[in-house]
Amino acid sequence: MHLLEEPDMNGNPSDSLVIYLRQIGDFPLLSREKERELAMDILEKRTAFRRSVLTSPYGAKRALEILSEVQDGRHLIVRALDIRRIDHRGKQIDYPNEQQERLRQRLPMNLKTLNALLDPAKSHSARQMMKIYTLLEETPITTKILAKIPMEIRRILEEKSTDDVKTISLNSPSSLLAHCVDMEEKEAAMKEKEVELSEHNLRLVISIAKQYSGCGLPLLDLIQEGNMGLLRAVQKFEPRLGWKFGTYAMGWIKQAITRALQKQHLVHIPFNLQGQLRNEKTISPALTEINRAARAAMRAPLSLETVFPHSAGETFTLGELVPSREEDVPIAAHHTALRAALERALHVLPVRYRDIFYKRNIEKMKLQEIADIYKLSRERVRQIAKRSMDRMLTYAKSDDAILLRAFLED
């Protein structure tokens, strides 16, 4: 399912689009019952992954640090916390804004209790960790943020001494490694089911992408953007509310495609204003309307001496962020963009696929070397690396896909 070519000059479908359409035919549409069963399975595996992270001393400690940053205003509550339609008690929330306010009010008291329970001088029994897990789920951190914790643990184990590991993680290196392996296994099981549900709904993405054909992006790019929206819908879907997944996913797919199209405008128009300018009779707004919307979106210019707050009470000025003329800015910017694209793309892979792809394409290890590490055949390693590449390119945004293709072809 990897989309490498564009349609030809006459607008006819390219070979890659035809191949892609044939490949998604291998994934049949699910019945309502099968769809709900798979969605509930995803929910169970996501809960198991979250429990695995938050019942480990290091995972709970990191979650406490993140919640403290939310309380201090260093993290936006809507970005860091999962504003759910069904809370930790199983109660349905009719007004998410009210739930957000409840989380904000509950946070100070929970932080005080969690700080006492996670005292490094105390031992952390399984019963106590379950109590900590319950408190943390009252103000739930997003799964996307929690998914970074196993990678942090791997880095700590590789870079830190035994004494430092005990100090940082509140646990011995062997126990920390065991927790990390458990997290990675549960994360892999969760991602596998998420990809399975998205694969059975790829037809929906194509049907929606066709509606935006001719609006500024090739059909293949529209499909890729829609696939990102589909994956986001899978991660946010709540099957206990009784909704049909296709109906729920449609909004996320359209949002991903329309925001990608918005980036093609010469004059940047905020997404909410762009929607106001469109109507049933006109395809695009008049120049006067664009001008008016652009002026409404303009903000007062900032001085290079403007001071911004930083962590630990420090400050910095806007001028400090301006790069030096002596640096090779385009190359540095390209490397930064490529690194960010790789991080986003690797996030859709299971842990084992991610490691094999990284060793093969980043560390440039030989097939046999990787095969010896994972006790696999050379051919199986090659297949996993190829399948990982295909999956990354399928779910990558159009801009990321361009960077990744150029990198992988070098």
Side-chain angles (χ1 to χ4, degrees), residues 239-258:
R240 292 174 292 180
L241 292 174
W243 297 337
K244 193 175 185 297
F245 176 73
T247 305
Y248 177 79
M250 192 177 297
W252 287 99
I253 296 168
K254 287 184 176 180
Q255 182 191 75
I257 291 174
T258 52

Side-chain angles (χ1 to χ4, degrees), residues 23 37 39 61 81 83 120 189 207 235 241 248 323 352 367 392:
Q23 287 176 331
E37 181 181 337
K61 177 185 173 184
L81 300 189
I83 312 298
S207 66
Q235 295 166 351
L241 292 174
Y248 177 79
R352 194 178 196 186
L367 289 173
M392 288 167 64

Side-chain angles (χ1 to χ4, degrees), residues 135-385:
L135 280 171
L136 288 171
E137 284 294 70
E138 289 183 6
T139 51
I141 298 170
T142 62
T143 305
K144 183 179 179 180
I145 293 177
L146 294 182
K148 298 177 182 179
I149 291 178
M151 291 184 283
E152 291 179 12
I153 293 176
R154 288 287 183 185
R155 190 165 57 250
I156 289 170
L157 291 171
E158 290 174 2
E159 299 175 357
K160 302 295 183 181
S161 65
T162 301
D163 292 338
D164 289 340
V165 169
K166 290 181 179 178
T167 303
I168 294 171
S169 66
L170 310 178
N171 219 331
S172 65
S174 58
S175 298
L176 184 62
L177 178 60
H179 281 301
C180 182
V181 170
D182 184 61
M183 293 176 203
E184 290 173 341
E185 290 176 351
K186 288 181 168 57
E187 183 187 10
M190 175 188 70
K191 287 186 178 298
E192 183 180 351
K193 291 298 181 180
E194 286 179 348
V195 170
E196 183 180 345
L197 180 58
S198 65
E199 286 174 339
H200 285 287
N201 287 274
L202 290 173
R203 289 182 179 87
L204 177 62
V205 175
I206 294 175
S207 66
I208 295 175
K210 286 180 179 178
Q211 299 172 16
Y212 294 88
S213 182
C215 292
L217 280 177
L219 181 58
L220 291 178
D221 287 347
L222 293 173
I223 291 173
Q224 285 184 318
E225 296 292 344
N227 284 343
M228 292 299 296
L230 175 63
L231 197 58
R232 181 67 173 156
V234 171
Q235 295 166 351
K236 298 287 287 183
F237 183 56
E238 178 50 79
R240 292 174 292 180
L241 292 174
W243 297 337
K244 193 175 185 297
F245 176 73
T247 305
Y248 177 79
M250 192 177 297
W252 287 99
I253 296 168
K254 287 184 176 180
Q255 182 191 75
I257 291 174
T258 52
R259 289 191 173 178
L261 290 170
Q262 178 198 8
K263 295 178 183 178
Q264 307 304 309
H265 287 279
L266 184 62
V267 178
H268 175 72
I269 305 173
F271 183 73
N272 59 327
L273 292 178
Q274 190 181 45
Q276 293 173 15
L277 294 174
R278 292 184 179 274
N279 55 54
E280 297 180 358
K281 296 181 181 180
T282 58
I283 297 176
S284 59
L287 287 177
T288 53
E289 293 174 321
I290 292 178
N291 184 36
R292 186 164 59 252
R295 287 180 179 277
M298 288 177 61
R299 297 174 180 173
L302 295 176
S303 167
L304 291 177
E305 301 302 321
T306 303
V307 178
F308 293 92
H310 191 40
S311 59
E314 299 177 357
T315 60
F316 66 92
T317 63
L318 191 59
E320 294 175 1
L321 302 180
V322 178
S324 169
R325 293 179 180 271
E326 298 176 358
E327 298 178 3
D328 196 339
V329 178
I331 294 177
H334 174 76
H335 288 167
T336 302
L338 178 59
R339 190 181 303 111
L342 276 170
E343 289 178 358
R344 286 190 291 269
L346 287 170
H347 188 68
V348 305
L349 298 178
V351 175
R352 194 178 196 186
Y353 279 39
R354 185 190 308 159
D355 292 343
I356 290 176
F357 177 87
Y358 190 88
K359 286 179 170 58
R360 178 62 178 158
N361 294 279
I362 309 299
E363 297 180 357
K364 302 298 182 183
M365 292 178 64
K366 296 180 179 179
L367 289 173
Q368 189 59 53
E369 293 174 342
I370 302 174
D372 292 341
I373 294 174
Y374 291 96
K375 309 299 181 185
L376 300 171
S377 66
R378 293 175 74 256
E379 176 60 20
R380 180 57 180 157
V381 171
R382 188 196 66 78
Q383 291 174 358
I384 290 177

Side-chain angles (χ1 to χ4, degrees), residues 7-22:
D8 61 26
M9 297 300 293
N10 297 321
N12 298 320
S14 64
D15 290 341
S16 58
L17 179 57
V18 174
I19 292 171
Y20 179 79
L21 294 175
R22 288 175 180 169

